Amino acid sequence: LSSGNFSLLLQELKTGDDQTTFYLFHQQDDKKGHTIIQNKKMCLFPSYSVESFQKPVVTMNYEDRKAECSSTGGYPEPTLTWTNQNGLMDQGVTQIIRNPSGTFNISSTVNITENQTVMCVIYNPTLNETLRSTQQTMSDSNPSNNLYVIAAVIGPVIGTVIVGALIVFYFRRKWCCCSQAELNPPELQAELEGLNPPQ
């Protein structure tokens, strides 16, 4: 334009419109009222569709000694990295799935050890947006090991209780037998022998 400026608003862009180039033309009337169409491209610009990802969620699988990070609903494809107190971690294959709407879901796994702080970082390059989620692993990353410890402690206790119960049962039975013998005092025993004289 010879003077002034203008603004252009594009509404309801979709992910499929990402990096589509738009050209701007204009028309104006001359001093006599005739419409003059300006065929020359005044400017062009690409569009960028962006969508923020959800805050990443980190879940622990202590049985397999792995942590999984996942996030959904963002655009374009992000990068996902794992870090711990020592820096970058070696992670598994990152899975990126495209939804029917054109947005992406992303997930990744990493091996974990006990007493470790792991952080999942998702970066959206177009938005220059970084999302983080941190988790602390347990002192023993495999709870089944705790079961072994509990069994090792409780097992001997249960064994001692069982042995003690058997000893008490044995001596009580013996006491009962002795008590039965005491039911026949010497006077009664002599009388019984008199009823059955020797042959």
Side-chain angles (χ1 to χ4, degrees):
L1 299 176
S2 57
S3 62
N5 55 27
F6 63 91
S7 62
L8 175 66
L9 174 64
L10 299 174
Q11 294 181 321
E12 298 182 0
L13 285 175
K14 302 178 179 60
T15 55
D17 299 321
D18 187 40
Q19 299 187 43
T20 299
T21 301
F22 291 86
Y23 300 92
L24 180 64
F25 300 87
H26 81 288
Q27 66 182 39
Q28 66 185 51
D29 296 338
D30 61 12
K31 294 179 180 180
K32 296 181 179 180
H34 298 104
T35 300
I36 302 174
I37 298 177
Q38 175 61 265
N39 289 322
K40 182 179 179 181
K41 298 174 186 176
M42 293 189 62
C43 62
L44 60 91
F45 60 93
S47 69
Y48 294 97
S49 298
V50 292
E51 186 74 28
S52 292
F53 280 84
Q54 298 295 315
K55 181 178 175 60
V57 176
V58 176
T59 55
M60 299 294 186
N61 184 336
Y62 290 108
E63 185 175 349
D64 295 334
R65 293 183 179 271
K66 289 186 180 294
E68 180 182 23
C69 177
S70 60
S71 183
T72 60
Y75 190 90
E77 289 188 29
T79 59
L80 188 154
T81 54
W82 287 93
T83 61
N84 61 14
Q85 53 267 40
N86 299 320
L88 285 175
M89 302 175 66
D90 293 328
Q91 63 194 61
V93 177
T94 300
Q95 294 184 337
I96 300 178
I97 299 174
R98 186 158 192 163
N99 299 313
S101 63
T103 60
F104 292 98
N105 297 343
I106 187 169
S107 64
S108 175
T109 59
V110 70
N111 295 326
I112 57 174
T113 59
E114 59 186 65
N115 291 327
Q116 185 181 38
T117 301
V118 294
M119 177 186 293
C120 172
V121 181
I122 293 179
Y123 176 67
N124 187 323
T126 304
L127 282 176
N128 194 26
E129 180 180 66
T130 302
L131 302 173
R132 298 178 176 86
S133 187
T134 305
Q135 283 280 5
Q136 174 73 40
T137 63
M138 292 167 43
S139 58
D140 188 343
S141 298
N142 192 350
S144 62
N145 289 343
N146 295 332
L147 297 179
Y148 296 138
V149 173
I150 293 172
V153 172
I154 295 180
V157 175
I158 294 176
T160 303
V161 170
I162 292 173
V163 170
L166 290 174
I167 292 172
V168 169
F169 177 76
Y170 172 77
F171 281 106
R172 182 171 180 177
R173 184 181 176 98
K174 186 174 182 182
W175 179 81
C176 289
C177 293
C178 293
S179 298
Q180 289 292 333
E182 291 174 359
L183 289 176
N184 297 326
E187 298 80 6
L188 182 59
Q189 187 68 27
E191 185 178 341
L192 290 174
E193 289 177 356
L195 293 175
N196 296 306
Q199 297 294 330

